[in-house]
Amino acid sequence: AIQMTQSPSSLSASVGDRVSITCRASQAIRNHLGWYQQKPGRAPKLLIFAASSLQSGVPSRFSGSGSGTDFTLTISSLQPEDFATYYCLQDHDYPLTFGPGTKVDIK
Amino acid sequence: EVQLLESGGGLVQPGASLRLSCAASGFTFTNIAMNWVRQAPGKGLEWVSAISGGGLSTYYADSVKGRFTISRDDSRNTLYLQMNSLRAEDTALYYCARRGWSYGDYSWGQGTLVTVSS
């Protein structure tokens, strides 16, 4: 199975900060990766698909990059509504695997 | 608009069975791969199972293989997860997820809670 690691596991940041979260796959997965935001008590919300494509309706401060094994989610200017947990998901092969998550909270 | 509505969760004892359902609307269900994903309380997301469009292929996480069975009824636009021999570690919120047209693209329901406890 493809293992997904994420770093950091948590971070504290201020409104307006630039934030980056990385995800690494244990083998090459091309661009077969999505990024999700989850708030407490809510279902995950798609932010980025195919590693770098912005989902319709998602603010442009979110961006994704990477291919192969290394991927990054960047929030260019953190907003109050962005405090949440972020997960990457690979669907290059079954079993699908998620990163362990990155919790972003307020400094 | 894609809508996924899970049902069938509840409190059961270890060793019991439960069948989850996911009613889909807003898209052509027949051709779309569907998944179950779960989240234990306070934990991360764990993929459980998938079924191809048309139902010819099924996939399972090692943690549920041999105990859970995924199926679909395209005439009812409904996805199922039959869960047997339930264990305490199966306690989680179970989400139904529709694969979109691109890699990494999934739409989610709101989930149904399964609690396995004596």
Side-chain angles (χ1 to χ4, degrees):
Chain A
I2 299 171
Q3 306 301 317
M4 304 300 293
T5 56
Q6 240 179 283
S7 61
S9 57
S10 65
L11 66 91
S12 295
S14 301
V15 172
D17 284 353
R18 181 182 181 89
V19 167
S20 290
I21 298 167
T22 64
C23 198
R24 176 165 289 175
S26 60
Q27 65 187 73
I29 59 170
R30 301 182 187 177
N31 68 336
H32 302 167
L33 182 119
W35 286 100
Y36 291 82
Q37 176 194 69
Q38 189 180 35
K39 296 182 179 179
R42 304 291 298 273
K45 173 188 174 184
L46 177 66
L47 301 174
I48 302 288
F49 62 90
S52 61
S53 296
L54 188 68
Q55 171 69 354
S56 176
V58 173
S60 60
R61 63 181 179 273
F62 290 92
S63 64
S65 64
S67 183
T69 60
D70 295 319
F71 303 87
T72 301
L73 173 71
T74 299
I75 309 172
S76 60
S77 177
L78 201 64
Q79 298 302 301
E81 59 269 31
D82 301 337
F83 293 96
T85 300
Y86 294 83
Y87 296 93
C88 60
L89 164 65
Q90 71 79 20
D91 64 348
H92 178 72
D93 196 8
Y94 290 109
L96 305 190
T97 44
F98 292 88
T102 296
K103 185 176 182 180
V104 177
D105 61 21
I106 301 172
K107 182 185 285 185
Chain B
E1 179 190 1
V2 172
Q3 292 198 355
L4 301 168
L5 183 62
E6 302 93 337
S7 61
L11 172 63
V12 296
Q13 293 189 334
S17 298
L18 208 55
R19 188 177 83 156
L20 306 183
S21 300
C22 171
S25 61
F27 64 99
T28 304
F29 183 75
T30 305
N31 299 327
I32 299 295
M34 298 293 295
N35 297 260
W36 288 99
V37 175
R38 68 185 181 184
Q39 187 168 35
K43 302 297 184 183
L45 299 164
E46 179 189 17
W47 174 82
V48 172
S49 184
I51 187 167
S52 62
L56 290 182
S57 299
T58 58
Y59 308 87
Y60 298 93
D62 286 346
S63 57
V64 307
K65 201 171 294 183
R67 299 187 300 122
F68 291 11
T69 302
I70 192 171
S71 62
R72 62 192 297 158
D73 183 340
D74 289 349
S75 68
R76 297 177 182 268
N77 286 357
T78 302
L79 175 73
Y80 301 101
L81 186 68
Q82 177 67 43
M83 304 186 296
N84 298 332
S85 303
L86 282 161
R87 306 167 179 167
E89 53 265 36
D90 296 318
T91 294
L93 186 61
Y94 284 72
Y95 292 103
C96 166
R98 164 199 180 264
R99 191 187 190 285
W101 298 112
S102 295
Y103 285 102
D105 176 7
Y106 293 80
S107 305
W108 302 68
Q110 290 306 303
T112 186
L113 181 62
V114 173
T115 304
V116 184
S117 175
S118 56

XYZ file of all heavy atoms in Angstrom, chain B residues 8-97:
676
model
N -28.349 4.139 8.410
C -28.154 2.774 8.860
C -27.219 2.610 10.045
O -27.068 1.501 10.564
N -26.588 3.689 10.460
C -25.693 3.591 11.610
C -26.462 3.368 12.908
O -27.686 3.478 12.945
N -25.705 3.050 13.956
C -26.343 2.860 15.246
C -25.391 2.231 16.240
O -24.202 2.065 15.956
N -25.933 1.885 17.396
C -25.162 1.242 18.460
C -25.404 -0.261 18.402
O -26.562 -0.699 18.464
C -25.592 1.808 19.816
C -25.038 1.118 21.063
C -23.522 1.226 21.117
C -25.679 1.701 22.326
N -24.337 -1.008 18.277
C -24.433 -2.465 18.233
C -23.371 -3.076 19.129
O -22.373 -2.437 19.456
C -24.289 -3.027 16.803
C -25.424 -2.553 15.909
C -22.945 -2.648 16.215
N -23.596 -4.333 19.477
C -22.628 -5.050 20.304
C -21.532 -5.664 19.437
O -21.748 -5.911 18.243
C -23.337 -6.142 21.099
C -24.303 -5.611 22.141
C -24.821 -6.719 23.038
O -24.871 -7.888 22.650
N -25.208 -6.348 24.251
N -20.383 -5.905 20.015
C -19.319 -6.603 19.266
C -19.833 -7.929 18.717
O -20.579 -8.651 19.392
C -18.238 -6.817 20.323
C -18.451 -5.713 21.312
C -19.942 -5.510 21.364
N -19.440 -8.212 17.464
C -19.882 -9.434 16.801
C -21.143 -9.274 15.989
O -21.492 -10.164 15.200
N -21.832 -8.163 16.161
C -23.091 -7.933 15.455
C -22.845 -7.499 14.009
O -21.706 -7.271 13.573
C -23.912 -6.884 16.184
N -23.948 -7.376 13.278
C -23.908 -6.924 11.887
C -24.726 -5.660 11.732
O -25.629 -5.372 12.524
C -24.464 -7.999 10.953
O -23.695 -9.171 11.001
N -24.402 -4.912 10.680
C -25.101 -3.671 10.376
C -24.964 -3.424 8.881
O -23.928 -3.765 8.287
C -24.452 -2.528 11.157
C -25.260 -1.305 11.567
C -26.500 -1.698 12.361
C -24.389 -0.374 12.389
N -25.992 -2.857 8.264
C -25.875 -2.486 6.858
C -26.097 -0.995 6.710
O -27.134 -0.463 7.106
C -26.891 -3.238 5.993
C -26.640 -3.006 4.503
C -27.578 -3.791 3.612
N -28.852 -3.128 3.426
C -29.652 -3.326 2.378
N -29.281 -4.162 1.413
N -30.812 -2.713 2.301
N -25.100 -0.352 6.134
C -25.191 1.072 5.847
C -25.690 1.273 4.421
O -25.412 0.462 3.539
C -23.828 1.747 6.003
C -23.104 1.554 7.340
C -21.804 2.354 7.345
C -23.991 1.913 8.500
N -26.405 2.361 4.226
C -26.878 2.744 2.895
C -26.446 4.162 2.585
O -26.261 4.977 3.499
C -28.405 2.660 2.817
O -28.877 1.365 3.081
N -26.298 4.439 1.323
C -25.984 5.798 0.857
C -26.849 6.078 -0.364
O -26.649 5.471 -1.415
C -24.512 5.925 0.509
S -24.065 7.473 -0.315
N -27.818 6.963 -0.205
C -28.698 7.341 -1.306
C -28.069 8.493 -2.066
O -27.755 9.536 -1.467
C -30.057 7.732 -0.764
N -27.883 8.305 -3.363
C -27.205 9.292 -4.194
C -28.182 9.998 -5.126
O -29.137 9.385 -5.620
C -26.117 8.615 -5.021
N -27.928 11.273 -5.375
C -28.731 12.025 -6.327
C -27.896 13.161 -6.900
O -26.836 13.490 -6.369
C -29.989 12.582 -5.654
O -29.652 13.453 -4.597
N -28.383 13.712 -8.006
C -27.697 14.851 -8.610
C -26.641 14.477 -9.623
O -25.960 15.357 -10.157
N -26.481 13.196 -9.892
C -25.525 12.745 -10.906
C -25.936 11.373 -11.394
O -26.779 10.708 -10.796
C -24.106 12.725 -10.342
C -23.876 11.740 -9.214
C -23.299 10.505 -9.446
C -24.241 12.062 -7.912
C -23.087 9.603 -8.409
C -24.048 11.176 -6.864
C -23.469 9.941 -7.125
N -25.308 10.947 -12.500
C -25.601 9.628 -13.061
C -24.841 8.579 -12.272
O -23.635 8.388 -12.472
C -25.229 9.581 -14.549
O -25.929 10.624 -15.238
C -25.602 8.239 -15.148
N -25.540 7.924 -11.384
C -24.923 7.017 -10.417
C -24.252 5.823 -11.086
O -23.176 5.387 -10.662
C -26.011 6.548 -9.450
C -25.533 5.661 -8.328
C -24.839 6.191 -7.257
C -25.795 4.303 -8.346
C -24.413 5.384 -6.214
C -25.380 3.485 -7.312
C -24.683 4.021 -6.233
N -24.840 5.315 -12.137
C -24.448 4.032 -12.727
C -22.965 3.951 -13.067
O -22.336 2.925 -12.839
C -25.267 3.765 -13.993
O -26.651 3.844 -13.669
C -24.952 2.412 -14.576
N -22.401 5.006 -13.604
C -21.046 4.939 -14.147
C -19.954 5.376 -13.175
O -18.779 5.435 -13.557
C -20.945 5.812 -15.388
C -21.902 5.354 -16.473
O -22.179 4.168 -16.599
N -22.420 6.304 -17.227
N -20.338 5.666 -11.951
C -19.411 6.324 -11.039
C -18.910 5.367 -9.958
O -19.698 4.660 -9.336
C -20.095 7.527 -10.360
C -20.529 8.548 -11.414
C -19.184 8.169 -9.331
C -19.392 9.200 -12.153
N -17.603 5.342 -9.758
C -17.033 4.578 -8.653
C -17.423 5.228 -7.324
O -17.454 6.455 -7.215
C -15.516 4.528 -8.775
N -17.722 4.403 -6.344
C -18.162 4.890 -5.042
C -17.308 4.279 -3.944
O -16.765 3.172 -4.097
C -19.629 4.543 -4.810
C -20.603 5.163 -5.803
S -20.694 6.954 -5.667
C -21.381 7.140 -4.013
N -17.224 4.991 -2.844
C -16.351 4.585 -1.748
C -17.033 4.744 -0.391
O -17.967 5.540 -0.251
C -15.097 5.477 -1.725
C -14.249 5.354 -2.955
O -13.233 4.663 -2.967
N -14.641 6.041 -4.026
N -16.515 4.016 0.570
C -16.811 4.262 1.975
C -15.504 4.652 2.661
O -14.460 4.007 2.455
C -17.392 3.023 2.653
C -18.792 2.713 2.232
C -19.186 1.780 1.305
C -19.988 3.324 2.730
N -20.549 1.779 1.189
C -21.073 2.718 2.052
C -20.269 4.314 3.667
C -22.407 3.073 2.297
C -21.579 4.676 3.907
C -22.638 4.053 3.223
N -15.590 5.699 3.462
C -14.452 6.195 4.236
C -14.948 6.384 5.664
O -16.072 6.815 5.866
C -13.934 7.537 3.670
C -12.820 8.105 4.558
C -13.444 7.364 2.231
N -14.115 6.072 6.641
C -14.554 6.230 8.021
C -13.580 7.096 8.815
O -12.424 7.285 8.417
C -14.726 4.872 8.689
C -13.455 4.093 8.913
C -13.788 2.701 9.477
N -12.583 1.910 9.729
C -12.594 0.645 10.143
N -13.754 0.015 10.350
N -11.460 -0.005 10.350
N -14.097 7.583 9.913
C -13.294 8.431 10.796
C -13.662 8.098 12.233
O -14.771 8.400 12.686
C -13.540 9.908 10.491
C -12.627 10.856 11.236
C -12.703 12.280 10.696
O -13.773 12.735 10.284
N -11.577 12.972 10.676
N -12.741 7.463 12.929
C -12.943 7.166 14.347
C -12.947 8.468 15.141
O -12.339 9.458 14.711
C -11.860 6.229 14.843
N -13.605 8.493 16.278
C -13.693 9.735 17.064
C -12.322 10.329 17.348
O -11.438 9.651 17.880
C -14.387 9.274 18.349
C -15.174 8.072 17.953
C -14.368 7.385 16.891
N -12.129 11.564 16.948
C -10.879 12.267 17.205
C -9.704 11.829 16.353
O -8.571 12.269 16.596
N -9.953 10.989 15.354
C -8.868 10.452 14.529
C -8.964 10.947 13.090
O -9.851 11.725 12.737
C -8.918 8.913 14.553
C -8.815 8.314 15.941
C -7.493 8.626 16.614
C -7.381 7.920 17.956
N -6.114 8.282 18.656
N -8.037 10.480 12.269
C -8.002 10.870 10.876
C -8.934 10.041 10.009
O -9.709 9.210 10.489
N -8.838 10.289 8.712
C -9.690 9.627 7.738
C -9.074 8.303 7.304
O -7.863 8.218 7.072
C -9.882 10.531 6.522
C -10.553 11.866 6.815
C -10.355 12.838 5.660
C -12.037 11.668 7.090
N -9.909 7.275 7.193
C -9.452 5.952 6.767
C -10.367 5.435 5.674
O -11.574 5.271 5.881
C -9.462 4.961 7.944
C -9.022 3.558 7.550
C -9.239 2.515 8.638
O -10.014 2.769 9.582
O -8.648 1.430 8.526
N -9.796 5.166 4.507
C -10.560 4.567 3.424
C -10.917 3.135 3.802
O -10.089 2.398 4.347
C -9.741 4.600 2.147
C -10.379 3.877 1.005
C -11.349 4.347 0.169
C -10.083 2.553 0.574
N -11.676 3.386 -0.750
C -10.908 2.275 -0.516
C -9.201 1.561 1.017
C -10.886 1.054 -1.196
C -9.169 0.345 0.352
C -10.001 0.098 -0.743
N -12.157 2.739 3.492
C -12.657 1.422 3.873
C -12.841 0.505 2.663
O -12.388 -0.640 2.663
C -14.000 1.553 4.624
C -14.638 0.186 4.871
C -13.804 2.317 5.930
N -13.535 1.002 1.636
C -13.900 0.134 0.531
C -14.311 0.959 -0.678
O -14.697 2.127 -0.540
C -15.067 -0.772 0.953
O -15.405 -1.693 -0.059
N -14.224 0.352 -1.845
C -14.646 0.997 -3.080
C -15.297 -0.019 -4.000
O -15.021 -1.226 -3.919
C -13.464 1.652 -3.789
N -16.153 0.483 -4.865
C -16.793 -0.344 -5.883
C -16.788 0.437 -7.190
O -17.058 1.644 -7.202
C -18.216 -0.762 -5.460
C -18.815 -1.775 -6.437
C -19.122 0.454 -5.267
C -20.075 -2.454 -5.892
N -16.477 -0.243 -8.277
C -16.407 0.418 -9.571
C -17.799 0.749 -10.093
O -18.804 0.193 -9.636
C -15.689 -0.477 -10.577
O -16.415 -1.689 -10.746
N -17.851 1.632 -11.057
C -19.102 1.879 -11.751
C -19.559 0.584 -12.391
O -18.762 -0.098 -13.031
N -20.786 0.192 -12.202
C -21.267 -1.091 -12.702
C -21.087 -2.227 -11.722
O -21.720 -3.286 -11.846
N -20.211 -2.048 -10.729
C -20.086 -3.016 -9.647
C -19.229 -4.239 -9.910
O -19.198 -5.149 -9.082
N -18.494 -4.248 -11.011
C -17.727 -5.456 -11.333
C -16.498 -5.631 -10.446
O -16.040 -6.756 -10.232
C -17.302 -5.421 -12.801
C -18.426 -5.607 -13.819
C -17.860 -5.589 -15.240
C -19.196 -6.898 -13.558
N -15.959 -4.526 -9.953
C -14.747 -4.592 -9.141
C -15.000 -4.004 -7.776
O -15.667 -2.966 -7.655
C -13.607 -3.835 -9.820
O -13.296 -4.397 -11.081
N -14.474 -4.668 -6.761
C -14.570 -4.163 -5.386
C -13.200 -4.201 -4.738
O -12.339 -5.023 -5.106
C -15.564 -4.982 -4.545
O -15.154 -6.350 -4.549
C -16.981 -4.874 -5.098
N -13.000 -3.310 -3.773
C -11.712 -3.164 -3.105
C -11.968 -2.930 -1.620
O -12.950 -2.288 -1.249
C -10.943 -1.975 -3.678
C -10.828 -1.996 -5.180
C -11.828 -1.441 -5.982
C -9.733 -2.585 -5.801
C -11.733 -1.469 -7.358
C -9.633 -2.610 -7.186
C -10.634 -2.062 -7.954
O -10.540 -2.089 -9.323
N -11.052 -3.445 -0.784
C -11.239 -3.332 0.652
C -9.913 -3.010 1.352
O -8.846 -3.471 0.931
C -11.772 -4.643 1.229
C -13.122 -5.027 0.688
C -13.251 -5.873 -0.422
C -14.280 -4.524 1.271
C -14.492 -6.207 -0.930
C -15.533 -4.857 0.775
C -15.623 -5.696 -0.329
O -16.863 -6.027 -0.830
N -10.032 -2.274 2.444
C -8.899 -2.108 3.336
C -8.643 -3.431 4.049
O -9.574 -4.204 4.309
C -9.193 -1.014 4.354
N -7.393 -3.693 4.360
C -7.050 -4.938 5.057
C -7.812 -5.070 6.368
O -8.168 -6.181 6.782
C -5.548 -4.992 5.327
C -4.738 -5.288 4.077
O -5.325 -5.708 3.060
O -3.505 -5.084 4.113
N -8.083 -3.951 7.014
C -8.724 -3.956 8.326
C -10.170 -4.467 8.284
O -10.718 -4.829 9.324
C -8.695 -2.558 8.940
O -9.319 -1.613 8.086
N -10.783 -4.493 7.098
C -12.182 -4.915 7.000
C -12.386 -6.092 6.044
O -13.494 -6.623 5.935
C -13.102 -3.752 6.582
C -12.898 -2.547 7.501
C -12.886 -3.364 5.123
N -11.316 -6.473 5.358
C -11.435 -7.541 4.361
C -11.943 -8.823 5.022
O -11.474 -9.224 6.087
C -10.070 -7.771 3.718
C -10.109 -8.445 2.374
C -8.723 -8.432 1.724
C -8.271 -7.036 1.378
N -6.956 -7.012 0.691
N -12.939 -9.438 4.377
C -13.525 -10.660 4.919
C -14.678 -10.414 5.873
O -15.411 -11.355 6.212
N -14.851 -9.179 6.327
C -15.939 -8.858 7.258
C -16.969 -7.910 6.637
O -18.151 -7.981 6.953
C -15.388 -8.215 8.530
C -14.424 -9.088 9.307
C -14.053 -8.454 10.650
N -13.407 -7.158 10.504
C -13.854 -6.023 11.039
N -14.966 -6.015 11.759
N -13.180 -4.892 10.879
N -16.501 -7.009 5.785
C -17.375 -6.014 5.155
C -17.556 -6.362 3.681
O -16.643 -6.867 3.029
C -16.777 -4.627 5.258
C -16.734 -4.025 6.641
C -17.001 -4.773 7.779
C -16.415 -2.675 6.811
C -16.961 -4.209 9.047
C -16.370 -2.096 8.058
C -16.639 -2.871 9.181
N -18.744 -6.021 3.163
C -19.033 -6.212 1.747
C -19.693 -4.959 1.188
O -20.711 -4.502 1.719
C -19.970 -7.409 1.519
O -19.377 -8.590 2.057
C -20.230 -7.616 0.025
N -19.097 -4.415 0.143
C -19.662 -3.253 -0.523
C -20.497 -3.720 -1.709
O -20.158 -4.710 -2.376
C -18.545 -2.283 -0.977
C -19.116 -0.939 -1.419
C -17.677 -2.901 -2.064
C -18.035 0.135 -1.666
N -21.594 -3.032 -1.958
C -22.433 -3.361 -3.105
C -23.192 -2.109 -3.521
O -23.171 -1.089 -2.831
C -23.410 -4.498 -2.772
O -24.288 -4.109 -1.735
N -23.847 -2.206 -4.655
C -24.618 -1.076 -5.148
C -25.843 -1.568 -5.878
O -25.847 -2.660 -6.456
C -23.755 -0.207 -6.064
C -23.248 -0.915 -7.305
C -22.160 -0.097 -8.003
N -22.661 1.175 -8.486
C -21.897 2.235 -8.741
N -20.583 2.175 -8.557
N -22.432 3.349 -9.187
N -26.896 -0.750 -5.838
C -28.109 -1.019 -6.601
C -28.316 0.186 -7.504
O -28.812 1.229 -7.053
C -29.292 -1.226 -5.657
C -30.576 -1.596 -6.389
O -30.670 -1.336 -7.607
O -31.491 -2.135 -5.745
N -27.907 0.052 -8.749
C -27.978 1.191 -9.658
C -29.415 1.583 -9.975
O -29.671 2.739 -10.344
C -27.213 0.885 -10.941
C -25.697 0.857 -10.719
O -25.250 1.276 -9.626
O -24.962 0.423 -11.633
N -30.360 0.652 -9.828
C -31.760 1.002 -10.082
C -32.318 1.905 -8.986
O -33.291 2.623 -9.198
C -32.614 -0.270 -10.187
O -32.708 -0.920 -8.937
N -31.700 1.864 -7.822
C -32.119 2.687 -6.684
C -31.138 3.813 -6.369
O -31.325 4.538 -5.393
C -32.286 1.821 -5.440
C -33.379 0.761 -5.542
C -33.417 -0.104 -4.294
N -34.426 -1.150 -4.382
C -35.663 -1.014 -3.944
N -36.061 0.116 -3.384
N -36.522 -2.010 -4.049
N -30.079 3.921 -7.184
C -29.039 4.928 -6.936
C -28.536 4.852 -5.487
O -28.393 5.869 -4.803
C -29.568 6.341 -7.214
C -29.711 6.623 -8.697
O -29.365 5.792 -9.538
N -30.241 7.777 -9.014
N -28.278 3.642 -5.037
C -27.915 3.437 -3.641
C -26.684 2.556 -3.512
O -26.551 1.549 -4.214
C -29.094 2.828 -2.870
O -30.223 3.693 -2.969
C -28.742 2.655 -1.394
N -25.822 2.972 -2.614
C -24.605 2.250 -2.259
C -24.820 1.619 -0.888
O -25.486 2.214 -0.036
C -23.429 3.227 -2.208
C -22.079 2.698 -1.740
C -21.459 1.809 -2.812
C -21.139 3.875 -1.406
N -24.244 0.444 -0.689
C -24.390 -0.253 0.576
C -23.040 -0.672 1.148
O -22.061 -0.828 0.409
C -25.244 -1.519 0.406
C -26.630 -1.267 -0.122
C -26.936 -1.489 -1.466
C -27.639 -0.801 0.716
C -28.212 -1.254 -1.963
C -28.920 -0.564 0.230
C -29.190 -0.790 -1.105
O -30.450 -0.560 -1.602
N -23.024 -0.867 2.460
C -21.892 -1.490 3.114
C -22.447 -2.447 4.166
O -23.016 -2.002 5.165
C -20.963 -0.461 3.764
C -19.675 -1.050 4.353
C -18.765 -1.569 3.225
C -18.928 -0.013 5.201
N -22.299 -3.734 3.886
C -22.693 -4.750 4.848
C -21.510 -5.013 5.763
O -20.427 -5.379 5.292
C -23.106 -6.040 4.137
C -23.464 -7.182 5.070
C -24.728 -6.914 5.870
O -25.718 -6.414 5.329
N -24.701 -7.244 7.150
N -21.734 -4.813 7.054
C -20.652 -4.948 8.028
C -20.990 -6.088 8.983
O -21.995 -6.028 9.701
C -20.479 -3.634 8.800
C -20.232 -2.443 7.890
S -19.851 -0.939 8.802
C -21.374 -0.687 9.679
N -20.176 -7.112 8.966
C -20.358 -8.279 9.853
C -19.223 -8.354 10.852
O -18.170 -7.729 10.678
C -20.411 -9.560 9.020
C -21.573 -9.585 8.051
O -22.615 -8.963 8.280
N -21.392 -10.301 6.951
N -19.435 -9.139 11.896
C -18.400 -9.366 12.923
C -17.793 -8.046 13.386
O -16.564 -7.881 13.427
C -17.317 -10.289 12.367
O -17.859 -11.505 11.923
N -18.650 -7.122 13.736
C -18.175 -5.790 14.110
C -17.346 -5.821 15.385
O -17.607 -6.601 16.309
C -19.349 -4.835 14.244
C -19.900 -4.341 12.904
C -21.294 -3.786 13.048
C -18.960 -3.319 12.281
N -16.348 -4.947 15.409
C -15.418 -4.841 16.532
C -15.459 -3.421 17.087
O -15.878 -2.487 16.401
C -13.999 -5.152 16.051
C -13.846 -6.474 15.329
C -12.504 -6.538 14.631
N -12.297 -7.815 13.941
C -11.322 -8.041 13.060
N -10.464 -7.071 12.782
N -11.211 -9.220 12.493
N -14.963 -3.275 18.290
C -14.925 -1.938 18.901
C -14.160 -0.957 18.021
O -14.523 0.219 17.913
C -14.296 -2.020 20.283
N -13.117 -1.438 17.364
C -12.294 -0.553 16.529
C -12.975 -0.145 15.224
O -12.437 0.665 14.477
C -10.928 -1.193 16.228
C -10.995 -2.575 15.637
C -10.867 -3.676 16.668
O -11.396 -3.505 17.814
O -10.245 -4.716 16.357
N -14.159 -0.695 14.951
C -14.941 -0.245 13.795
C -15.801 0.971 14.138
O -16.464 1.526 13.244
C -15.851 -1.369 13.284
C -15.071 -2.566 12.763
O -14.052 -2.346 12.062
O -15.469 -3.703 13.077
N -15.813 1.367 15.399
C -16.560 2.554 15.810
C -16.037 3.778 15.076
O -14.843 4.095 15.151
C -16.443 2.753 17.332
O -17.100 1.675 17.991
C -17.057 4.081 17.750
N -16.913 4.433 14.351
C -16.492 5.568 13.535
C -17.703 6.213 12.871
O -18.802 5.648 12.849
C -15.516 5.117 12.437
N -17.459 7.384 12.330
C -18.414 8.023 11.424
C -18.078 7.521 10.022
O -16.930 7.622 9.591
C -18.267 9.537 11.505
C -19.257 10.399 10.752
C -20.683 10.166 11.265
C -18.892 11.869 10.888
N -19.070 6.937 9.359
C -18.859 6.356 8.038
C -19.408 7.295 6.976
O -20.597 7.635 6.984
C -19.530 4.990 7.940
C -18.759 3.904 8.663
C -18.730 3.856 10.056
C -18.023 2.956 7.954
C -17.999 2.883 10.727
C -17.293 1.979 8.609
C -17.286 1.946 9.996
O -16.558 0.981 10.649
N -18.516 7.686 6.067
C -18.880 8.567 4.975
C -18.963 7.792 3.664
O -18.140 6.915 3.391
C -17.816 9.648 4.765
C -17.663 10.673 5.852
C -16.611 10.615 6.750
C -18.563 11.730 5.964
C -16.441 11.576 7.731
C -18.400 12.702 6.946
C -17.333 12.608 7.816
O -17.166 13.573 8.789
N -19.923 8.158 2.870
C -20.026 7.718 1.489
C -19.324 8.784 0.639
O -19.484 9.984 0.904
C -21.507 7.634 1.156
S -21.976 7.493 -0.550
N -18.524 8.370 -0.343
C -17.794 9.345 -1.158
C -17.854 8.946 -2.632
O -17.555 7.807 -2.982
C -16.345 9.450 -0.692
